[in-house]
Amino acid sequence: MAIIPEVSNKKSKEMTILPEEIKTDILSRLPVKSLMRFKSVCKPWRCLFRDPGFAKMHREHATRNGTSTFLMLHYRFTRFAMDAFYSIDHTSLSIQLLSPLRDEALHDSTAMHYPLIPPNHLEVLGSCNGLVCLRTSVPGDEDAICLWNPSTREYKNLPASPNRFRSSNVDMDIVVCGLGYDDENNDFKVVRLAEINSTDDSFDDSGDWSEMEVHTIRPGSDHEVEASIKRSQSVFEIYSLRSDAWKKCQTVPYYFPGYLKPGVIVNGALHWWAMKRHGDGDEVILSFDFNEEVFKEVAILEGPMIHKEVSDTDYENNSVGVLGGCLCLLHKTFDKVDVWIMQEYGVKESWTKRFTITEESIVDTIALRVICDFQNGAILFSTDDSLVYYDPSPERGTRKLRILGTDDLEGAEKCISSIVSLNSGTYC
């Protein structure tokens, strides 16, 4: 790490008497805003704050103390055709939501400067160690992906994939995209997975295809039905921030029903609900290990956690989340949501149903996700268009939350403030 220099004032001279590791430890406990100001003091300090080891130390202090956690909210103003981001300090949010006053307006929110990725219609694909992954959501431009540090305002546009990995390709749907951290190589990585409904020769014919019979009406005929075989395959690729490059596509024998969902991070890995392509088509919880760059089965769902028939309408689907630091499953049907907790990671016998939700604002939605939970057992959900605060205790109930003057909610993420550098030199 860089050495902290001496400066002229008395306090700084006193500080230089301390060992370098103590001075570095002191600086690593300061908020990001202070470090952003201090980086202009001199070049050695600037180098120190860009050092990955220092950024990791700063991030660990912030995570341990819980003082640098904030909620990032993404809204879409349809009448102006523009996006807006707001941040709310998690501690302030907790105090407001746990108070006796049942105010539905979110106070102390701050508008955020964010990178524009033309066209100006974005999706949040997850947050990890202070970085946020964004992409455009206009069909044909989904491969425009950006990494962003909201605390330092630095951003980096990712290079185009050399793997012809575009949603504008025929019969390709991007169904998984997420951001994670490889702690062995000190590298942030983006994983992106698409389902291909063809036999495009540009992808690996590894045998990880599944087939289904499709019936269509023959063109020009009088309702004459023609049967054909539809083949599909899941292909994923990985971007490395350290090398600033995409790696070759690989196949995986699973598919991911429903809309694109950001993964949730537990034990350093991203997790999704998926289904096996072969055998009995089991429902599973799948993780992606960023160190080994492989998908792994964490659990095969059984009994009351599976659906008799999987519906692509998304009204009867499963999704994963994190509650109390544990992996959880939202088992959603048309009239209720069962919340299951895996109390011991990877141990199927530790699944416990925590409670069942029948509140209409939560059940009658497609894009249901867990954003965070609170000490009193309450949960903050994001739904199709809003935040919903759910308290399982009967006397408190459920309420929708909003920022005054905003339209529909597009997404929400729980983030931490971090000084992690993208080494891009581009800022909002």
Side-chain angles (χ1 to χ4, degrees):
M1 289 187 181
I3 298 175
I4 300 174
E6 296 186 18
V7 287
S8 57
N9 64 69
K10 182 179 179 180
K11 290 184 178 180
S12 297
K13 287 184 177 180
E14 292 175 352
M15 188 176 180
T16 58
I17 301 174
L18 297 173
E20 294 298 327
E21 59 270 18
I22 294 180
K23 289 184 281 187
T24 300
D25 183 67
I26 292 173
L27 289 171
S28 69
R29 297 172 187 271
L30 298 178
V32 173
K33 289 183 178 180
S34 298
L35 297 179
M36 291 299 290
R37 291 198 304 269
F38 296 161
K39 73 177 183 178
S40 301
V41 171
C42 56
K43 289 183 178 179
W45 276 24
R46 187 180 184 88
C47 292
L48 174 67
F49 299 158
R50 293 174 66 89
D51 185 281
F54 177 82
K56 183 178 181 180
M57 183 186 300
H58 180 270
R59 183 173 66 246
E60 289 174 348
H61 284 313
T63 304
R64 190 180 306 116
N65 298 332
T67 56
S68 300
T69 305
F70 64 94
L71 198 68
M72 187 182 72
L73 305 177
H74 173 207
Y75 288 88
R76 176 72 174 171
F77 291 93
T78 54
R79 60 187 181 278
F80 300 123
M82 63 178 293
D83 294 85
F85 287 85
Y86 295 86
S87 66
I88 302 176
D89 179 79
H90 189 266
T91 302
S92 300
L93 178 66
S94 300
I95 294 173
Q96 176 185 340
L97 294 179
L98 301 182
S99 70
L101 300 176
R102 295 182 58 80
D103 189 357
E104 296 186 351
L106 292 173
H107 304 292
D108 300 325
S109 61
T110 304
M112 306 173 71
H113 296 277
Y114 65 94
L116 294 176
I117 312 177
N120 185 20
H121 192 176
L122 310 175
E123 282 184 297
V124 179
L125 298 176
S127 171
C128 177
N129 292 347
L131 297 185
V132 175
C133 185
L134 302 173
R135 78 160 192 171
T136 59
S137 58
V138 176
D141 288 310
E142 282 87 348
D143 58 341
I145 295 180
C146 169
L147 296 182
W148 170 39
N149 185 331
S151 301
T152 64
R153 299 187 182 181
E154 185 181 15
Y155 70 93
K156 178 181 178 60
N157 292 320
L158 271 57
S161 168
N163 301 315
R164 294 178 56 197
F165 207 96
R166 295 181 59 89
S167 64
S168 58
N169 281 357
V170 176
D171 294 327
M172 174 182 281
D173 294 314
I174 296 176
V175 294
V176 162
C177 194
L179 171 67
Y181 180 65
D182 176 356
D183 56 0
E184 291 185 0
N185 298 293
N186 190 29
D187 190 12
F188 286 88
K189 296 177 180 178
V190 174
V191 60
R192 181 167 53 176
L193 183 145
E195 183 170 323
I196 306 166
N197 298 316
S198 66
T199 55
D200 193 325
D201 293 334
S202 64
F203 297 103
D204 178 26
D205 191 10
S206 62
D208 287 332
W209 293 89
S210 60
E211 296 184 346
M212 64 180 294
E213 188 173 353
V214 179
H215 295 87
T216 57
I217 298 176
R218 187 188 301 275
S221 66
D222 186 15
H223 302 290
E224 184 179 350
V225 176
E226 182 180 60
S228 61
I229 299 298
K230 175 184 175 182
R231 303 179 71 201
S232 62
Q233 180 184 44
S234 296
V235 182
F236 74 95
E237 62 177 357
I238 304 165
Y239 168 82
S240 162
L241 178 62
R242 192 171 183 177
S243 64
D244 191 25
W246 291 93
K247 297 185 179 181
K248 183 181 178 181
C249 287
Q250 303 176 59
T251 61
V252 60
Y254 305 90
Y255 70 95
F256 300 76
Y259 65 98
L260 188 151
K261 304 182 186 73
V264 296
I265 297 179
V266 182
N267 286 358
L270 275 173
H271 296 72
W272 295 270
W273 171 60
M275 299 192 70
K276 290 185 178 181
R277 286 193 174 276
H278 306 293
D280 295 329
D282 292 331
E283 296 184 44
V284 300
I285 293 180
L286 209 61
S287 72
F288 184 79
D289 186 308
F290 283 92
N291 296 339
E292 301 179 15
E293 298 184 348
V294 294
F295 283 91
K296 299 179 180 179
E297 285 185 16
V298 176
I300 297 177
L301 302 184
E302 301 174 332
M305 289 187 289
I306 63 174
H307 294 87
K308 294 181 180 179
E309 293 182 3
V310 176
S311 170
D312 286 335
T313 64
D314 298 319
Y315 282 102
E316 283 201 309
N317 265 338
N318 288 337
S319 64
V320 294
V322 182
L323 290 175
C326 297
L327 189 67
C328 77
L329 177 79
L330 303 181
H331 178 77
K332 190 175 181 300
T333 60
F334 280 97
D335 58 350
K336 65 179 182 177
V337 176
D338 291 330
V339 180
W340 292 82
I341 305 291
M342 182 179 259
Q343 296 178 320
E344 187 175 350
Y345 185 79
V347 179
K348 69 176 183 178
E349 292 80 10
S350 69
W351 280 114
T352 303
K353 187 163 74 169
R354 182 168 167 182
F355 47 74
T356 296
I357 304 173
T358 57
E359 295 286 343
E360 183 179 352
S361 59
I362 294 176
V363 174
D364 190 21
T365 187
I366 294 178
L368 182 65
R369 292 182 61 220
V370 172
I371 302 303
C372 61
D373 55 349
F374 302 92
Q375 292 181 347
N376 68 340
I379 305 174
L380 193 64
F381 291 99
S382 66
T383 66
D384 291 344
D385 58 5
S386 63
L387 283 177
V388 175
Y389 175 76
Y390 174 79
D391 192 328
S393 58
E395 64 274 10
R396 298 190 65 88
T398 303
R399 52 181 158 148
K400 286 190 175 184
L401 304 173
R402 62 192 180 93
I403 294 177
L404 296 177
T406 59
D407 287 351
D408 291 345
L409 180 75
E410 288 282 310
E413 287 291 331
K414 184 179 179 181
C415 308
I416 64 168
S417 296
S418 169
I419 200 170
V420 169
S421 175
L422 295 165
N423 297 315
S424 67
T426 52
Y427 295 84
C428 301

